[in-house]
Amino acid sequence: MKFALPVLALGIYLLAFFIRQNHRHGIQLRNADLQAAIAKHEELHPSAPNSPQDSSRSKSGRTPSVLPAGTTGFLQLSDEDLRKLVQADSRGEMSDMRTSVVFRKLLLEATEEELCELLDRAPTLPLSADDYESLVENVITRLGQLAPETALNRAFSQAHYDAILYSWHLNDIFSLWSSSEPKEAVAWLDARIADGSLQPKSLTANDQTRVHFESAAFFSLLQSDTQSARGRLLSLSPDLRLQTLSANTSSFLDLQKESEFTELATLIREALPEEQQYEVLNHMGGILAGIKLEGTETFLNAIASSQFEVAPIALAAINERIENSRWYEPLPLETELQSTREFIARYSPADQARVMGKTLAIRLEHEDSDLARTLSLLEKEHQQYPDDELIDSFLTHGADQLANRAESSDPAIQLLIAKIKDPVLRERWESDQQDDMP
């Protein structure tokens, strides 16, 4: 057990470390990060001769160390040893954790040249199609952190590998590259468009690769060369313009300054018809609000200065934030209520009651939600802002959760309904309550 726990801890540590690389914004993997991961490995599992625990694990059928003594890199491994590493990592089962950690450590330590040699060797290894694709994807992702242009070129030239099918990690690599070297990245993109590399090779392939690359290129240029960004966007077809501005690329999240958002609003007005302008702005506001409301406010201030109507964009943004709170650990409820109230009161005060009711109702979907506490906060909100729409919104969006807790919620719901001043709305909810009774 003394051996297993550190390895399990390291496995989780490195697994989380590698998962991060697919979410580029704010968590770019730098050399210091990689060295920190390697140092953590050495701290938790220092190199030593095979221990009694190793022997007992081997005899019990569990995975022993697969590396021959003295191995320091992929290129020293036999085809069979490399197959074992790749297969264990690809399976991702708990019994493969130790072997997977060894694979990840070697991947972190490999140089650009070693990674390229491994890609050359990959087609000759005795791997299943799934394991081969997993190996190439991991190697290219790691190579993308060291040499993005090389990684992208290798992805599109790798034997038995349709890069378009696995473009999600290539999008991250291109976004990283375009943010640091936008002109070089754009030149590479234009060359790939010209040679047809970005065209799907099969009916099942993802045809959004160019869209994501164009989006990353546009938002990177917007921060360094506004005129080039404008020229590139306007050179695209109308449909591709809309998709480029709507793509969920992390490069959009690099925009921080109000001046950048003002330029963006100007280009959106110039590049899209009016009905699509608000579609894109609503989408962008939702992305920002899902991360931090302060960033959304900078965006909305720039939008307002560009003569767009802010209220519908703000409402779309806050609704997106509320919907997304179903899937991630939200802020403490009181904190979220305060920030939501201040935001919606500033940008769309007419919608405050409905937004606050929905915020409270959606929070009931979390396992640790406290119905009594939520109802108490709703009562407090209603005392301060006595609006029928607050209760109506809460009951509407919380219907399923309230029905699941009918025994404890019914008396409280009846009290809420009684507070509704509009007789027609109150009667409707009273009727619904009667219909739900057994």
Side-chain angles (χ1 to χ4, degrees):
M1 183 60 70
K2 289 180 181 178
F3 172 81
L5 286 177
V7 171
L8 178 57
L10 176 61
I12 294 171
Y13 176 89
L14 286 182
L15 181 60
F17 183 85
F18 265 75
I19 287 174
R20 294 190 313 160
Q21 71 194 14
N22 303 322
H23 303 278
R24 180 179 104 25
H25 183 69
I27 50 173
Q28 293 184 18
L29 295 181
R30 301 176 177 89
N31 288 337
D33 298 319
L34 303 177
Q35 293 304 320
I38 295 168
K40 189 70 175 179
H41 179 279
E42 301 302 338
E43 174 191 338
L44 294 175
H45 181 42
S47 300
N50 286 347
S51 64
Q53 288 92 337
D54 286 351
S55 299
S56 64
R57 285 166 62 85
S58 182
K59 289 177 183 178
S60 67
R62 296 183 181 181
T63 306
S65 173
V66 298
L67 293 185
T71 299
T72 59
F74 284 118
L75 303 183
Q76 296 176 335
L77 293 174
S78 68
D79 286 359
E80 181 58 21
D81 285 338
L82 191 50
R83 181 194 66 79
K84 291 177 182 177
L85 281 178
V86 174
Q87 188 177 62
D89 184 73
S90 180
R91 279 196 304 251
E93 297 176 2
M94 288 300 293
S95 59
D96 297 318
M97 182 68 77
R98 184 185 178 196
T99 307
S100 181
V101 166
V102 171
F103 172 78
R104 297 286 171 165
K105 180 176 184 288
L106 290 176
L107 201 60
L108 284 167
E109 295 173 333
T111 65
E112 176 185 345
E113 292 73 20
E114 289 171 334
L115 292 169
C116 287
E117 287 190 47
L118 184 55
L119 288 173
D120 291 336
R121 183 179 172 189
T124 69
L125 295 174
L127 297 172
S128 68
D130 287 344
D131 289 344
Y132 173 79
E133 290 164 359
S134 177
L135 171 62
V136 173
E137 181 180 307
N138 278 311
V139 173
I140 287 175
T141 299
R142 174 67 184 105
L143 184 58
Q145 298 159 3
L146 301 176
E149 183 174 7
T150 301
L152 291 167
N153 286 332
R154 293 304 303 254
F156 284 98
S157 63
Q158 184 72 18
H160 315 299
Y161 186 75
D162 186 349
I164 300 296
L165 281 174
Y166 307 95
S167 61
W168 61 268
H169 64 299
L170 302 185
N171 298 340
D172 291 336
I173 293 170
F174 185 80
S175 291
L176 272 171
W177 184 25
S178 63
S179 66
S180 60
E181 297 180 318
K183 291 184 179 180
E184 292 82 353
V186 168
W188 179 90
L189 174 58
D190 286 337
R192 298 293 75 73
I193 294 171
D195 67 21
S197 295
L198 300 184
Q199 292 297 320
K201 297 179 176 61
S202 69
L203 293 177
T204 58
N206 178 0
D207 63 355
Q208 291 297 297
T209 304
R210 182 179 175 187
V211 169
H212 285 280
F213 283 10
E214 288 286 2
S215 184
F218 168 75
F219 286 115
S220 295
L221 285 173
L222 188 62
Q223 299 169 74
S224 59
D225 185 348
T226 305
Q227 283 305 111
S228 293
R230 176 182 179 276
R232 186 164 195 90
L233 183 65
L234 296 180
S235 72
L236 303 176
S237 67
D239 184 56
L240 191 50
R241 290 180 197 176
L242 176 62
Q243 293 182 71
T244 294
L245 291 167
S246 304
N248 289 320
T249 54
S250 53
S251 298
F252 166 65
L253 296 174
D254 285 332
L255 302 182
Q256 302 287 335
K257 302 173 184 176
E258 189 168 325
S259 59
E260 293 171 341
F261 288 126
T262 301
E263 288 287 354
L264 175 61
T266 300
L267 290 177
I268 287 173
R269 189 183 293 280
E270 185 177 3
L272 300 177
E274 185 174 356
E275 64 274 12
Q276 291 180 347
Q277 293 170 13
Y278 280 95
E279 177 184 339
V280 167
L281 291 169
N282 289 348
H283 174 72
M284 290 176 172
I287 293 174
L288 291 168
I291 298 171
K292 197 174 183 181
L293 283 178
E294 288 84 347
T296 316
E297 290 176 355
T298 303
F299 171 73
L300 291 174
N301 292 339
I303 297 304
S305 68
S306 302
Q307 306 306 308
F308 280 102
E309 186 181 352
V310 171
I313 302 171
L315 181 60
I318 200 66
N319 274 318
E320 183 72 13
R321 180 180 176 83
I322 296 168
E323 291 293 335
N324 288 343
S325 70
R326 287 186 166 104
W327 319 119
Y328 64 83
E329 189 63 31
L331 295 172
L333 183 52
E334 289 87 346
T335 304
E336 186 69 22
L337 286 173
Q338 179 67 22
S339 59
T340 300
R341 185 187 303 109
E342 291 174 355
F343 178 88
I344 201 66
R346 179 178 180 184
Y347 293 106
S348 187
D351 296 298
Q352 179 175 331
R354 301 210 66 79
V355 166
M356 298 305 292
K358 183 177 181 180
T359 300
L360 284 158
I362 297 299
R363 186 59 69 97
L364 289 175
E365 297 184 16
H366 286 267
E367 291 182 3
D368 60 350
S369 65
D370 184 328
L371 177 61
R373 177 165 160 265
T374 303
L375 290 171
S376 174
L377 289 169
L378 178 67
E379 172 69 23
K380 190 175 179 181
E381 189 76 22
H382 189 261
Q383 288 175 358
Q384 191 171 0
Y385 305 99
D387 191 318
D388 287 352
E389 287 195 336
L390 174 71
I391 297 174
D392 182 50
S393 178
F394 177 79
L395 295 175
T396 299
H397 294 288
D400 291 342
Q401 290 299 318
L402 293 170
N404 292 337
R405 312 181 197 189
E407 186 174 335
S408 57
S409 68
D410 278 355
I413 290 174
Q414 291 170 14
L415 289 174
L416 287 175
I417 293 173
K419 294 178 184 296
I420 298 176
K421 297 176 182 178
D422 181 346
V424 176
L425 182 61
R426 184 174 63 248
E427 183 178 345
R428 178 170 68 80
W429 278 113
E430 287 173 342
S431 176
D432 288 348
Q433 188 76 351
Q434 289 292 325
D435 292 341
D436 290 339
M437 294 180 65

